[in-house]
Amino acid sequence: MMILRSSPASPFGRKVRIAISLLGFDDQTRIEPADPTDFSDSLRRQNPLGKIPVLIAEDGAVYYDSRVIVDFLDERAGGGKIVPREPRQRLAALRLQALCDGILDASILTVYEARWRALEHHEQKWLDHQAGKVTRALELLESNPPVLAAAAGSLPNIGQIALACALGYRDFRFGEGWRNAHPRLVAWLDAFAARVPAFAATKPTG
Amino acid sequence: MMILRSSPASPFGRKVRIAISLLGFDDQTRIEPADPTDFSDSLRRQNPLGKIPVLIAEDGAVYYDSRVIVDFLDERAGGGKIVPREPRQRLAALRLQALCDGILDASILTVYEARWRALEHHEQKWLDHQAGKVTRALELLESNPPVLAAAAGSLPNIGQIALACALGYRDFRFGEGWRNAHPRLVAWLDAFAARVPAFAATKPTG
């Protein structure tokens, strides 16, 4: 069995869990909860950065971060399944993943402002800086949502999986406010969820 | 000509600049400075996250973040040059890159604490949290530094390039204190610098 160290709230963990499901590895993976704030957790020995997700393969090899785990899983599944091989498609998927990981990074730093600092120390300029990244990225995506492959059985790519996780994280931590100004992304996310049962199954909690 | 938007201080920009040099693209690339804090800069239209580096190819295609740019450049150079193709080597290089990118992220958040916040709002627990990531990562790397391929003409891989940039950023922003406890990494960095002239040529300023 592979072991995935993650938490039910982690959007990067969700990305990997959806990849595991789409690639058919659910039966070969056990999820072992990890708490990045708990110093007694073995997580820091597995990944010195103390970040989740971390994947531990049967041979003991440890993989992080989420992009590297997905690369490993796609290779294990034969290659070219959710990380396209054709250079143009591949780079479009990887750039979309980078954009959506960036939405997540900015969103997480915003959540951390409240988690790590007293209210009177919150820095509005910093929060605005992070919010600007999210606003501009969602605007670009709304103007040109990615296209889910129409072919039956074709899998969404890692960029699209990352987008679903980024939008899901906005819902989870910031409420559904983003939905008003982004009707095309709302429709896109509905279509993604209809195609990918693992999306609903990994809805964040905590 | 390709255009690289970066700044002389950016460690992720340095990673890309070293890749460009190693892959022989210096003559095909123009570096155009970018200031992520300047709202009038076209950077935010090229990358809505407002982050550097960004690469703009001759056909106008825009690539970010640094990992995606390196993937594009390696593919353009024929593939398998600094991003290995053999799965085991590839994943080791990508994991090392993820670890070193994590050292950089933690280091940059530490620099940002002073840049974005009044001294009396600095949060020691947050700074300790980031320092812990760096300490544990450097400890792991010191116990087992990566091995530079001995063959004449063989290139360092992207994980090794990222490590050199991470150590260089520690020197640049935090002084040379890390060197005392990490003699094997110091020797490794000297060997890397001797093999890769672009390392000295991209020494950060600013």
Side-chain angles (χ1 to χ4, degrees):
Chain A
M1 292 288 270
M2 294 187 282
I3 298 169
L4 178 68
R5 307 297 315 275
S6 191
S7 86
S10 166
F12 294 110
R14 189 181 198 184
K15 208 167 72 170
V16 172
R17 288 168 67 200
I18 292 173
I20 286 172
S21 168
L22 287 171
L23 295 170
F25 293 140
D26 272 330
D27 293 348
Q28 300 171 41
T29 316
R30 189 177 74 237
I31 296 179
E32 203 174 279
D35 178 356
T37 64
D38 175 3
F39 272 80
S40 70
D41 194 308
S42 58
L43 177 67
R44 286 182 169 74
R45 291 191 298 277
Q46 290 154 349
N47 173 2
L49 300 172
K51 288 181 176 172
I52 52 175
V54 171
L55 187 82
I56 304 153
E58 289 87 344
D59 65 358
V62 174
Y63 298 103
Y64 54 81
D65 51 21
S66 68
R67 292 193 203 176
V68 178
I69 297 173
V70 166
D71 202 290
F72 166 71
L73 293 170
D74 192 73
E75 181 68 37
R76 181 182 169 117
K81 298 286 192 287
I82 59 174
V83 184
R85 276 186 167 149
E86 190 277 314
R88 186 170 290 266
Q89 286 177 34
R90 172 184 175 78
L91 285 159
L94 294 180
R95 193 187 75 165
L96 179 57
Q97 177 177 222
L99 181 62
C100 296
D101 285 359
I103 293 175
L104 284 174
D105 285 337
S107 301
I108 289 169
L109 284 172
T110 303
V111 169
Y112 281 2
E113 190 79 1
R115 192 171 292 171
W116 284 85
R117 301 176 196 271
L119 184 59
E120 64 271 24
H121 292 175
H122 289 193
E123 179 56 53
Q124 195 57 44
K125 271 195 309 188
W126 174 253
L127 294 170
D128 292 346
H129 183 63
Q130 303 306 328
K133 295 173 192 289
V134 175
T135 301
R136 290 187 302 268
L138 291 181
E139 215 167 89
L140 177 70
L141 290 160
E142 174 72 10
S143 73
N144 192 19
V147 177
L148 290 166
S154 69
L155 299 178
N157 69 45
I158 187 55
Q160 297 168 337
I161 297 168
L163 175 55
C165 293
L167 297 175
Y169 192 71
R170 294 304 297 184
D171 275 339
F172 176 50
R173 292 293 193 204
F174 300 86
E176 301 197 341
W178 69 270
R179 291 174 172 263
N180 299 326
H182 304 90
R184 300 177 72 193
L185 287 180
V186 171
W188 181 89
L189 187 59
D190 287 345
F192 181 90
R195 283 273 285 276
V196 181
F199 185 69
T202 55
K203 192 174 173 186
T205 57
Chain B
M1 291 290 269
M2 296 188 282
I3 298 169
L4 178 68
R5 306 297 315 273
S6 192
S7 87
S10 166
F12 293 110
R14 189 181 198 184
K15 209 167 71 171
V16 171
R17 288 167 67 199
I18 292 174
I20 286 171
S21 168
L22 287 171
L23 295 170
F25 293 139
D26 273 330
D27 292 347
Q28 300 171 41
T29 315
R30 188 177 76 237
I31 297 178
E32 202 174 281
D35 178 356
T37 64
D38 176 2
F39 273 80
S40 69
D41 193 309
S42 58
L43 178 68
R44 287 181 168 75
R45 291 191 297 279
Q46 291 155 346
N47 173 4
L49 300 172
K51 287 180 178 174
I52 50 174
V54 170
L55 187 83
I56 304 150
E58 290 88 344
D59 65 358
V62 175
Y63 299 102
Y64 54 84
D65 52 20
S66 68
R67 293 193 202 176
V68 177
I69 297 172
V70 167
D71 202 292
F72 165 73
L73 292 170
D74 191 74
E75 181 69 37
R76 181 181 168 119
K81 298 286 191 286
I82 58 174
V83 184
R85 277 187 165 149
E86 189 277 315
R88 184 169 291 266
Q89 285 177 32
R90 172 183 174 80
L91 285 159
L94 294 180
R95 192 186 78 165
L96 179 57
Q97 177 177 221
L99 181 62
C100 297
D101 284 358
I103 293 174
L104 285 174
D105 286 336
S107 301
I108 289 168
L109 284 172
T110 302
V111 169
Y112 282 1
E113 191 78 0
R115 193 170 294 170
W116 284 84
R117 300 175 196 271
L119 184 59
E120 62 272 23
H121 291 176
H122 289 194
E123 180 56 54
Q124 196 56 45
K125 271 197 310 190
W126 173 254
L127 294 170
D128 292 345
H129 183 64
Q130 302 306 329
K133 295 174 192 290
V134 175
T135 301
R136 289 188 303 270
L138 291 182
E139 215 167 90
L140 176 70
L141 289 160
E142 174 71 12
S143 72
N144 192 18
V147 177
L148 289 167
S154 67
L155 299 177
N157 69 47
I158 186 55
Q160 297 167 338
I161 296 167
L163 175 56
C165 293
L167 297 176
Y169 192 71
R170 294 304 298 184
D171 275 339
F172 176 50
R173 292 293 193 205
F174 300 86
E176 302 198 340
W178 69 271
R179 291 174 171 263
N180 298 325
H182 303 89
R184 299 177 72 193
L185 288 179
V186 171
W188 182 89
L189 187 60
D190 287 344
F192 181 91
R195 284 274 284 277
V196 180
F199 185 69
T202 56
K203 192 175 174 185
T205 57

